[in-house]
Amino acid sequence: KILARHAISIHRAYLDIVKDGKGGSVTFVGYVVQGADGKAINAAGDGWKAVVRDLRRIKWVDDKSLELSSRHPSLSIDQAEAVVALCNMAHQVLSPQNRFLWTRERIHGFAEESIGVATGIVQLLTARFDPARPMSDADFAAARTRLEGEIARQPSEMNRTVLTKMLEGVVATLRTNYFLPDRFALCLRIDPAYLANADRPERPYGTFFVHGRGFDGFHNRFQDIARGGLRVIRTQNHAQHTRESERLFDEVYGLSWAQQLKNKDIPEGGAKAAILLEPGATVDRCVKAFVNSILDLIVQVPEVRKLVVDRLGKDELIYLGPDENITPAHIVWIVDRARVRGYSMPTAFMSSKPGAGINHKVYGVTSEGVNVFLDVALRSRGIDPRRQRFTVKITGGPDGDVAGNMMRILDRDYGANAVIVGIGDGSGVGEDPEGLDHAELLRLFKEGLPIASFDRKRLSPKGRVVSVDEPEGAQLRNTMHNRLVTDAFVPGGGRPATIHEGNWQEFLTADGKPSSMVISEGANLFLTPGAREELCKRGATVIKDSSANKCGVICSSYEISACMVLSDDEFLSIKDTYVSQVLDRLRELARVEAEFLMRAAKTHPSMSLPKISVELSKVINTTAAAIAAG
């Protein structure tokens, strides 16, 4: 399609597959081509340079952009990519208003119906950020006014709404990597006000939007210097992707705000990044494209900066950490890539490094805090977990960071007193009223296996392990956290808003009591604020995520602080001692807050525990900001 677009004829094609010695292969495709006039192509000509640019970019450009460009020959591939990106960003503004009316497909359709105006909006973006001759503010304002007039003349209100939001997206853009010849995706650094609505009341400091082949992603932060993880959201089918795309920025916003509350123990504010994959998209490629695109807009390398027009007027530092579907290999690659790209502090760009860092899963840093809050909450309800038997259910599998380490720590600290009666993860569900065998769970944890791999021979006569592929397997997995009645519940994995305002009643038993009286939130946003309040009214002790799982980000802050003052070799020489001291500090910080929350709950019975947690974070953050400003 690309060659045909440039009127290049293919005479012969060759395909060679060469084994790479690593169990895979490399495929080479070669073409013998000539120009439309039947003559050899001038490789030094501008026409062939355009061909080369398009061919180098098609690996990173999404199919929708290529198809849109094919349908409208006057629209270049880069321009088509920008149209799609602006539509997808507008979707995050319009979908909360009416997700049935403003689907991504309809937004794309309305934009294409008015492709002339949509192209004009993209041309305004490119003119404003053209490094050769960036458009002045006065000319930009005049061109914007002309486009607003064209939008007003469109016959359909739907088209006018979409085009207006696309234009507002251009106005909100402060930097873009559009003109970088080897970019992996299209990245826009935008004014967060563009995405504001009543459900997003807190104003972020900065937001990045990245659109690439098979994915869209956001990075959002609430302070200039902020810390938070990068997660990948995988989807299996179009329906799931549609639902996740409707709430992509809401998830990033909610997670980054929870992080802002959580980060009260460290200097950094809260941030979060999420990449939503289309069905079939590969995690590695999309992570690399997202990270490279963010680096495009924050590195200080002259050859990059000269192609990025800066309308923010301030250098930015971004600090990432690991979250769902980010592997140690990704972490190593991200740090290496930051170093190759010339980022000023590459080892600080990503935390939880397996070498000169503190890997979260290896040391269970998040789960250490979740367990301390669980311990204190159980004691507040009259259960001494080191002396008495207690039951617990967990979402997230033995192969997960928070859930897997939670199983390890429960066995370490409480032994047989910790009776794990239910575990649900992506593979299925394991249930046993006598308690799932600890030794078998630890085997799964060490081998990185999910609950469906549990040895059925280790079950009691009343136990069962059901895979999601078995009849009713998915339904049993999805309802486990509601059905099983336990002393405690640890959400260690699962999608945001699993328990929400519309279904919290399902967590209650027949007599109207919560099926677990203690909830220590290891997973972010598993419960919505409204669901927390309803369960608290019915007597549950709910430890909000921004308290319960805060130790992961505190650990990241300690890791990066060390990376800023030590070389890799120096860090490795003290790593064992340093990590031991960090773990002690994490448990101490968790216990101080947990015990404070229990005291505050007694002295302020009219406030729920989650609200006390939020107020505590706000007071500390406000005080810290006042001290810094003074």
Side-chain angles (χ1 to χ4, degrees):
K1 288 182 179 178
I2 297 299
L3 293 174
R5 178 187 179 89
H6 290 278
I8 292 176
S9 301
I10 301 172
H11 274 257
R12 289 190 299 279
Y14 302 89
L15 184 146
D16 292 294
I17 299 177
V18 181
K19 292 184 178 180
D20 67 1
K22 301 177 183 178
S25 61
V26 178
T27 302
F28 294 88
V29 180
Y31 300 108
V32 176
V33 300
Q34 64 182 34
D37 56 4
K39 298 180 180 178
I41 295 169
N42 177 13
D46 291 339
W48 182 248
K49 290 178 181 178
V51 176
V52 171
R53 174 172 169 77
D54 283 354
L55 289 176
R56 292 183 66 172
R57 293 234 50 237
I58 57 173
K59 176 181 179 180
W60 304 105
V61 178
D62 68 292
D63 291 338
K64 289 185 178 65
S65 299
L66 295 174
E67 292 164 2
L68 181 65
S69 178
S70 296
R71 290 194 295 271
H72 302 277
S74 62
L75 201 63
S76 73
I77 291 174
D78 286 344
Q79 289 175 325
E81 183 183 27
V83 169
V84 174
L86 290 171
C87 285
N88 289 1
M89 194 164 73
H91 180 233
Q92 302 302 308
V93 178
L94 295 172
S95 180
Q97 299 175 14
N98 186 328
R99 68 186 185 91
F100 300 105
L101 173 62
W102 298 116
T103 65
R104 184 173 288 192
E105 289 76 13
R106 297 192 75 187
I107 290 172
H108 288 167
F110 294 136
E112 189 169 2
E113 287 175 5
S114 301
I115 194 63
V117 181
T119 302
I121 293 171
V122 169
Q123 289 171 341
L124 180 63
L125 173 73
T126 57
R128 184 165 172 77
F129 291 95
D130 184 349
R133 192 169 61 182
M135 177 181 279
S136 68
D137 290 343
D139 289 344
F140 179 77
R144 176 186 177 184
T145 300
R146 288 195 298 272
L147 279 170
E148 288 172 339
E150 292 185 39
I151 292 171
R153 290 190 290 273
Q154 296 302 300
S156 166
E157 181 181 352
M158 304 290 193
N159 296 52
R160 293 196 296 270
T161 299
V162 169
L163 294 169
T164 297
K165 291 305 174 187
M166 291 174 66
L167 179 58
E168 290 175 358
V170 172
V171 174
T173 300
L174 302 171
R175 286 194 195 113
T176 178
N177 65 346
Y178 182 91
F179 288 95
L180 291 178
D182 297 320
R183 60 183 172 84
F184 288 8
L186 180 61
C187 185
L188 307 176
R189 198 313 193 165
I190 62 172
D191 181 342
Y194 174 72
L195 293 157
N197 63 31
D199 294 323
R200 306 163 185 164
E202 304 292 340
R203 174 71 179 270
Y205 177 89
T207 305
F208 291 81
F209 172 67
V210 184
H211 168 71
R213 183 178 181 85
F215 77 93
D216 283 301
F218 282 96
H219 179 275
N220 190 64
R221 73 192 198 277
F222 278 92
Q223 288 180 201
D224 184 8
I225 304 301
R227 177 170 305 289
L230 166 64
R231 66 170 46 185
V232 177
I233 305 165
R234 305 177 71 172
T235 58
Q236 302 301 317
N237 51 58
H238 177 72
Q240 184 187 6
H241 181 267
T242 296
R243 179 69 189 99
E244 295 294 346
S245 69
E246 293 167 353
R247 61 181 185 180
L248 175 58
F249 184 71
D250 284 324
E251 179 169 341
V252 176
Y253 175 92
L255 290 167
S256 54
W257 177 242
Q259 200 78 34
Q260 174 72 7
L261 298 175
K262 185 188 306 182
N263 288 13
K264 56 186 172 292
D265 298 271
I266 60 177
E268 303 97 321
K272 208 72 176 183
I275 308 170
L276 173 62
L277 270 57
E278 295 178 3
T282 58
V283 175
D284 288 356
R285 178 169 55 79
C286 295
V287 167
K288 291 178 179 181
F290 180 88
V291 170
N292 253 312
S293 300
I294 295 290
L295 286 168
D296 286 341
L297 300 189
I298 62 176
V299 296
Q300 308 303 315
V301 180
E303 56 265 31
V304 174
R305 295 206 68 174
K306 69 181 183 181
L307 297 176
V308 177
V309 175
D310 180 17
R311 298 191 178 276
L312 177 64
K314 183 177 181 180
D315 293 339
E316 294 185 284
L317 296 172
I318 300 298
Y319 300 95
L320 301 175
D323 205 328
E324 296 175 7
N325 294 311
I326 296 296
T327 67
H330 292 140
I331 295 170
V332 171
W333 183 90
I334 288 170
V335 173
D336 287 345
R337 190 62 180 174
R339 184 178 289 111
V340 168
R341 294 293 308 276
Y343 187 58
S344 58
M345 289 186 289
T347 59
F349 187 50
M350 187 70 174
S351 61
S352 192
K353 296 179 286 295
I358 307 175
N359 185 273
H360 287 198
K361 186 171 183 179
V362 171
Y363 295 101
V365 295
T366 303
S367 303
E368 291 285 0
V370 176
N371 179 60
V372 170
F373 279 95
L374 174 65
D375 182 288
V376 174
L378 286 171
R379 291 175 188 275
S380 75
R381 302 195 69 97
I383 298 174
D384 182 348
R386 294 186 182 271
R387 296 177 179 272
Q388 296 170 263
R389 182 181 183 273
F390 67 96
T391 54
V392 61
K393 56 188 175 185
I394 302 173
T395 58
D399 56 340
D401 174 6
V402 177
N405 275 296
M406 197 69 198
M407 297 169 205
R408 174 182 62 83
I409 293 169
L410 288 172
D411 179 74
R412 180 196 71 191
D413 288 359
Y414 314 118
N417 285 343
V419 183
I420 305 173
V421 299
I423 295 172
D425 66 12
S427 71
V429 65
E431 302 176 16
D432 196 328
E434 300 299 320
L436 293 163
D437 184 81
H438 282 204
E440 177 62 5
L441 290 177
L442 292 178
R443 179 187 72 83
L444 298 180
F445 171 70
K446 291 175 182 177
E447 296 180 14
L449 297 173
I451 193 61
S453 299
F454 191 96
D455 184 354
R456 272 67 167 179
K457 296 176 183 177
R458 298 296 192 97
L459 294 167
S460 77
K462 296 181 180 179
R464 62 179 174 178
V465 173
V466 185
S467 165
V468 290
D469 298 325
E470 298 178 49
E472 299 185 350
Q475 192 271 339
L476 289 172
R477 186 274 311 275
N478 294 342
T479 59
M480 183 279 295
H481 65 275
N482 290 325
R483 289 185 291 104
L484 301 190
V485 179
T486 59
D487 296 309
F489 171 40
V490 177
R495 298 298 298 133
T498 297
I499 300 177
H500 53 76
E501 285 80 354
N503 68 5
W504 63 266
Q505 297 93 336
E506 297 173 17
F507 195 78
L508 304 179
T509 60
D511 60 0
K513 294 181 180 179
S515 58
S516 296
M517 297 304 291
V518 171
I519 303 175
S520 185
E521 296 185 47
N524 287 310
L525 307 184
F526 190 89
L527 291 86
T528 62
R532 290 191 190 102
E533 292 302 309
E534 294 296 341
L535 295 178
C536 287
K537 290 176 184 177
R538 284 149 185 81
T541 300
V542 181
I543 310 296
K544 190 180 180 300
D545 48 11
S546 55
S547 291
N549 64 37
K550 70 176 185 175
C551 287
V553 74
I554 298 173
C555 177
S556 293
S557 184
Y558 281 123
E559 175 187 337
I560 298 308
S561 296
C563 291
M564 288 179 173
V565 297
L566 300 174
S567 68
D568 286 0
D569 289 340
E570 289 171 331
F571 182 91
L572 290 170
S573 70
I574 66 165
K575 179 172 179 176
D576 290 344
T577 301
Y578 188 68
V579 170
S580 176
Q581 293 174 352
V582 168
L583 290 173
D584 287 342
R585 180 64 173 154
L586 297 180
R587 288 187 282 263
E588 176 189 356
L589 289 170
R591 190 164 298 280
V592 167
E593 181 174 350
E595 292 176 349
F596 170 83
L597 290 177
M598 297 309 150
R599 292 196 305 271
K602 291 181 180 179
T603 56
H604 297 81
S606 62
M607 288 183 70
S608 69
L609 209 54
K611 285 186 176 179
I612 294 173
S613 172
V614 171
E615 288 304 310
L616 174 64
S617 295
K618 287 183 176 179
V619 168
I620 293 176
N621 287 338
T622 301
T623 304
I627 293 172

